[in-house]
Amino acid sequence: EFVFRHSDCSASKRWQKKLGLASPSSICGAGLPEGEICQFKLPRHQYLVYFFADLILFYVIPLLLSCVLYTLIARVICSPERPSVQAGTSRIQVVKMLVVVVAVFALLWLPYRGMLVYNSFATLFSKKPFMDLWFLMFAKTCVYINSAINPILYNAMSIKFRRAFHRTLVCVPHTQRGQ
């Protein structure tokens, strides 16, 4: 079971404060003057190393690391040294949640990363980069959704997480949590 301390309540309050401070900028953002567009300072093919380093550092490595670490966690959780019928279904639920978290990360980042890889190779072969505005908005929306989806997934798939999250948001004192 999740164990929370007083610091969890202060963390919850800090997140609420940061959310409040960040909200006006998302509503009242300023754009570029009409007619101006962002351009690369260097020829696009010179950014190839940057794009692939970004792909490897922020997509491939985290995805592989998540797969390896979650596989190790699943092996420990499902080891035969812990036989219990009720705990067995709980363990299976945890493993399913880990698989879903990794799959959602991979799927939500894939459109954006795929577009970057395609555009990087398109410039090498003197083809026109794929810059469809609707697809770009879709891909970036998927990235933003990925940033917020984990608590929703945990909430949907874990009763223990729902209870602990509720206790944290409500800031139940530590002495009352055992009830």
Side-chain angles (χ1 to χ4, degrees), residues 80-101:
E81 298 164 0
R82 301 180 183 201
S84 170
V85 176
Q86 186 179 14
T89 57
S90 175
R91 291 177 190 153
I92 291 170
Q93 190 67 22
V94 170
V95 172
K96 284 180 184 177
M97 187 170 53
L98 296 176
V99 169
V100 168
V101 167

Side-chain angles (χ1 to χ4, degrees), residues 5 22 28 42 76 92 98 102 135-136 139 142 149 161 172 176:
R5 310 242 185 298
C28 306
L42 301 171
V76 169
I92 291 170
L98 296 176
V102 172
F135 184 79
L136 184 61
C142 287
I149 198 83
F161 180 83
V172 176
Q176 295 177 1

Side-chain angles (χ1 to χ4, degrees), residues 87-155:
T89 57
S90 175
R91 291 177 190 153
I92 291 170
Q93 190 67 22
V94 170
V95 172
K96 284 180 184 177
M97 187 170 53
L98 296 176
V99 169
V100 168
V101 167
V102 172
V104 166
F105 170 79
L107 291 173
L108 288 176
W109 272 97
L110 191 60
Y112 182 73
R113 295 298 180 176
M115 184 183 67
L116 285 179
V117 169
Y118 173 82
N119 287 343
S120 296
F121 280 112
T123 58
L124 284 178
F125 299 111
S126 301
K127 294 189 183 238
K128 185 178 178 187
F130 183 71
M131 297 300 286
D132 181 66
L133 182 61
W134 288 107
F135 184 79
L136 184 61
M137 286 174 34
F138 166 74
K140 288 195 172 192
T141 300
C142 287
V143 169
Y144 293 134
I145 289 170
N146 180 73
S147 299
I149 198 83
N150 281 356
I152 295 167
L153 291 174
Y154 296 149
N155 186 43

